[in-house]
Amino acid sequence: MPPTDRDNARLVEIRTYRLKPGHGERFVAAMAAALPMVRASGMDVVAFVRSGHEHESYCLIRAYADRAQLVAQQDAFYGSDAWRQGPRQALVDCLQDYLNTLLWLSPQGIEDLRSRNRLDND
């Protein structure tokens, strides 16, 4: 159930990627090209991290005001020529599969995730 306006929670998407064996370096390079585009599109990238216990797994965490904002921003971004003609194929070629999980989190919780999982270029 979505939170009330009073608690200011944001919708957090946790996208976990499982890579094809041996594709880690290519995936990280493709994400390095993709993340500035994701940010420029207006999406709040909270963290991008490698799994500490599964060598071929990575996690991208993004935060949104609500489900409508998630859908609008992702539809616009993933439907853009810049994405489709840019790093998309390089990323897709590395993936075995991925899973999205959505949950509501307080702004303080999001900032804690952000600070404890700093992106390399932050």
Side-chain angles (χ1 to χ4, degrees):
M1 177 178 202
T4 65
D5 290 342
R6 192 180 82 222
D7 56 19
N8 297 315
R10 296 183 70 205
L11 186 61
V12 173
E13 176 196 49
I14 302 171
R15 180 170 290 181
T16 305
Y17 301 97
R18 187 167 51 160
L19 307 184
K20 295 174 184 173
H23 283 70
E25 286 184 31
R26 281 186 263 172
F27 180 75
V28 170
M31 282 300 280
L35 285 174
M37 294 173 64
V38 172
R39 284 191 190 102
S41 76
M43 285 186 260
D44 179 6
V45 176
V46 176
F48 172 69
V49 295
R50 181 175 163 225
S51 172
H53 68 286
E54 292 185 26
H55 182 68
E56 299 290 339
S57 294
Y58 288 79
C59 179
L60 174 64
I61 302 172
R62 295 179 283 194
Y64 301 90
D66 52 31
R67 179 68 185 237
Q69 185 187 49
L70 179 152
V71 169
Q73 287 184 334
Q74 288 191 10
D75 284 354
F77 178 75
Y78 292 119
S80 72
D81 286 340
W83 168 248
R84 288 181 290 161
Q85 296 170 11
R88 180 191 178 280
Q89 195 60 51
L91 284 168
V92 170
D93 289 346
C94 296
L95 299 181
Q96 186 166 333
D97 63 21
Y98 69 92
L99 174 69
N100 289 336
T101 301
L102 300 177
L103 54 97
W104 292 96
L105 195 59
S106 71
Q108 297 82 6
I110 292 168
E111 290 311 311
D112 190 42
L113 274 173
R114 191 183 317 274
S115 68
R116 292 175 186 266
N117 299 282
R118 300 300 288 173
L119 297 168
D120 289 339
N121 57 358
D122 282 349

